[in-house]
Amino acid sequence: MSIAPSVRTAPAGRIGRDPFFDNAKFLAITLVVSGHLIEDLRDVAVAHAAYSYVYVFHMPLFIVLSGYLSRNFTFSSGKARKLISALAVPYVLFELAYSLPRLVLYGKLEISLLDPYYLTWFLMSLFLWRLSTPVWQQLRWPLAVAVGLSLLSGTSALPDELSMNRTLGLLPFYVLGLMLRPEHFELLRRRGVRIAGAVTLAAGAVSALAVHGSVKTEWIRWRHANEAIGVDDLTGSLIRLGLLAAGALLVAAFLAVTPSRRTWYSGLGAATMYAYLLHGFVVKAAERFYGDWAATPPGVAVVAASGVGLAALLCSPPVRRAARWAVEPRMDWAFTRLRRPG
């Protein structure tokens, strides 16, 4: 999503994007899109299992990558301006845009820029995580502190403003990304690790099929405190710790099987923010037209598979040109001129 481009030195000495990260981002956005497309079909057991499985790690994956590619964030003028134009302004625009379908479909117009609606929570949380980057880089045990804050957030009835439950609950994945180094990703590309990753993903899918009916969906959404989900704080903290561990394991497994070579979708992976912010309109419209055919295992498979095509379409150059004004707005006119050193 709003993830800065990664760079590496190409054989010819040119600087270019690493297709590994673009591949990972595109594959991850297909999980997000497909997950949202089948969300309204969860009365079908296979849809509920797939939804539960994907939600354990699809956003943690994006958050880990966001953290890794935010390692160089500072409060310099250029970085601060990019933070405003890439996250703050799109957040305001899409928070307003997503309020309009609610008005048309449900007759409600509720606009609160501090209380993110639907997909926009990620922009709010990523904005806050990026701001906190220098703090985590100064701590000796940043991941332990982040996990502690995540567990403590489940013991309190936090306000919806600033997406506090998700911002604190999912914080360890961002901090984990900040701690990763290129050699960690190289380790994931070893043959043995790739095989283990595939086995882990398969085992996770089988486990989801076995237990999805007994796990409350709110655990994987990170939106509420332990009490609101119906457990005491000790039980809730253990469940949250287990979800953090499972999410990290599945993220590593997913990255291990991600191709490192250039693929047909590598170029699309550079524009996943478009698919993320735009697909919600398609999902909300599609849900109104699902027929009985969709509420069957074959129908769920078709709907989920269509997520790949929708994600590719929304990342395509024509869509990017049409929506750039909102997703990647040019804000030079709003800033003072940068002072050049010397």
Side-chain angles (χ1 to χ4, degrees):
M1 268 115 32
S2 180
I3 302 175
S6 57
V7 297
R8 67 174 182 177
T9 302
R14 296 181 292 106
I15 299 297
R17 298 182 67 97
D18 186 340
F20 172 77
F21 292 103
D22 285 335
N23 292 340
K25 288 187 289 179
F26 179 77
L27 293 175
I29 197 61
T30 63
L31 294 179
V32 173
V33 175
S34 294
H36 281 140
L37 283 171
I38 66 172
E39 183 173 8
D40 205 43
L41 302 173
R42 283 176 294 151
D43 288 340
V44 183
V46 68
H48 192 276
Y51 178 88
S52 301
Y53 176 52
V54 166
Y55 264 65
V56 171
F57 72 95
H58 75 323
M59 289 311 298
L61 172 61
F62 273 119
I63 297 168
V64 167
L65 292 174
S66 296
Y68 177 74
L69 299 172
S70 297
R71 292 171 299 153
N72 296 324
F73 177 81
T74 65
F75 290 119
S76 63
S77 298
K79 296 291 179 63
R81 293 174 187 216
K82 187 172 183 180
L83 188 66
I84 293 170
S85 60
L87 292 178
V89 174
Y91 170 76
V92 172
L93 292 175
F94 280 90
E95 183 70 14
L96 294 173
Y98 274 111
S99 69
L100 298 180
R102 271 194 297 181
L103 176 62
V104 174
L105 297 175
Y106 310 112
K108 295 192 304 182
L109 180 61
E110 299 176 3
I111 300 176
S112 174
L113 294 182
L114 295 181
D115 183 6
Y117 172 67
Y118 196 32
L119 303 173
T120 57
W121 72 266
F122 180 72
L123 297 182
M124 171 68 78
S125 296
L126 184 54
F127 183 89
L128 297 174
W129 291 327
R130 282 251 174 92
L131 285 178
S132 71
T133 296
V135 174
W136 301 110
Q137 292 174 332
Q138 298 300 315
L139 297 180
R140 180 169 294 181
W141 302 290
L143 188 57
V145 173
V147 170
L149 288 174
S150 177
L151 299 182
L152 285 174
S153 71
T155 66
S156 304
L158 299 176
D160 293 331
E161 283 74 14
L162 303 181
S163 191
M164 291 303 298
N165 286 287
R166 281 167 165 161
T167 299
L168 291 175
L170 293 166
L171 173 64
F173 294 111
Y174 183 80
V175 176
L176 174 61
L178 289 176
M179 297 173 61
L180 294 176
R181 296 293 179 264
E183 52 267 27
H184 296 129
F185 292 96
E186 290 297 329
L187 176 63
L188 291 176
R189 300 180 190 185
R190 295 181 179 178
R191 177 176 173 81
V193 177
R194 292 170 68 85
I195 294 173
V199 172
T200 299
L201 290 175
V206 172
S207 299
L209 282 170
V211 305
H212 71 92
S214 58
V215 178
K216 292 183 178 180
T217 304
E218 284 305 325
W219 286 117
I220 55 177
R221 288 177 170 175
W222 297 88
R223 297 189 305 182
H224 299 296
N226 300 326
E227 183 179 6
I229 305 178
V231 299
D232 60 83
D233 286 335
L234 176 59
T235 302
S237 295
L238 291 175
I239 293 173
R240 288 171 184 271
L241 189 61
L243 286 172
L244 290 173
L249 178 63
L250 290 172
V251 165
F254 187 89
L255 291 173
V257 302
T258 297
S260 57
R261 66 187 185 282
R262 186 160 187 82
T263 64
W264 66 268
Y265 51 83
S266 296
L268 301 176
T272 50
M273 180 63 86
Y274 288 83
Y276 181 79
L277 290 175
L278 296 173
H279 84 275
F281 298 108
V282 181
V283 169
K284 290 300 183 183
E287 289 176 350
R288 309 283 292 186
F289 299 101
Y290 285 156
D292 293 339
W293 67 270
T296 63
V300 170
V302 171
V303 172
S306 69
V308 179
L310 178 57
L313 174 64
L314 296 178
C315 292
S316 66
V319 173
R320 290 156 65 177
R321 286 193 294 269
R324 183 170 286 120
W325 65 273
V327 180
E328 295 181 291
R330 296 183 180 275
M331 299 297 299
D332 294 344
W333 57 271
F335 301 128
T336 59
R337 296 182 62 181
L338 283 172
R339 295 183 179 179
R340 298 183 180 278

